[in-house]
Amino acid sequence: MRTVLCFLILFCPFAEIDDSKSRALYQTQIIEGHSLHCCTVCQYHSRNIGNMKRHVRTHTGERPFSCPHCGQRFKRKENVQLHILTFHVQAKCCK
């Protein structure tokens, strides 16, 4: 027998930014001991909560990561790191 528990995520204390737009945009189902996170806006689903948080930003437009040098904002941390290397570190090295 397959047991399915479903509950709505209203607040996650581990979220990088407490943005009211991103609340309640995904549900977590526990199926046979494994979590499955399902987007309530589209058909996307993932077993990894980090992937789901990243996906939710496509619907909210949230940009929680900012460049410490110029303030430009990004949806993903790796894009900030690439931006810093491309525009700030290389600019200082090549002068």
Side-chain angles (χ1 to χ4, degrees):
M1 178 185 209
R2 188 169 155 171
T3 304
V4 177
L5 301 174
C6 184
F7 53 93
L8 193 60
I9 302 297
L10 295 176
F11 174 74
C12 177
F14 303 107
E16 291 142 357
I17 288 184
D18 179 19
D19 187 355
S20 61
K21 289 188 247 177
S22 64
R23 290 182 186 173
L25 285 182
Y26 64 93
Q27 293 180 339
T28 300
Q29 297 178 358
I30 300 174
I31 302 170
E32 296 177 358
H34 298 285
S35 296
L36 183 64
H37 310 284
C38 305
C39 181
T40 59
V41 177
C42 67
Q43 298 293 318
Y44 181 82
H45 60 277
S46 175
R47 290 187 184 269
N48 184 298
I49 188 72
N51 290 345
M52 179 54 69
K53 288 180 183 179
R54 183 175 63 209
H55 168 76
V56 165
R57 290 186 206 127
T58 64
H59 299 301
T60 64
E62 177 186 10
R63 293 176 176 261
F65 304 101
S66 64
C67 174
H69 303 285
C70 67
Q72 187 172 347
R73 301 192 64 82
F74 299 88
K75 291 182 181 180
R76 298 176 69 165
K77 186 176 181 178
E78 56 265 27
N79 291 343
V80 174
Q81 294 168 336
L82 181 62
H83 165 81
I84 291 170
L85 288 173
T86 303
F87 294 102
H88 301 296
V89 174
Q90 284 185 353
K92 290 179 183 178
C93 293
C94 299
K95 284 184 178 181

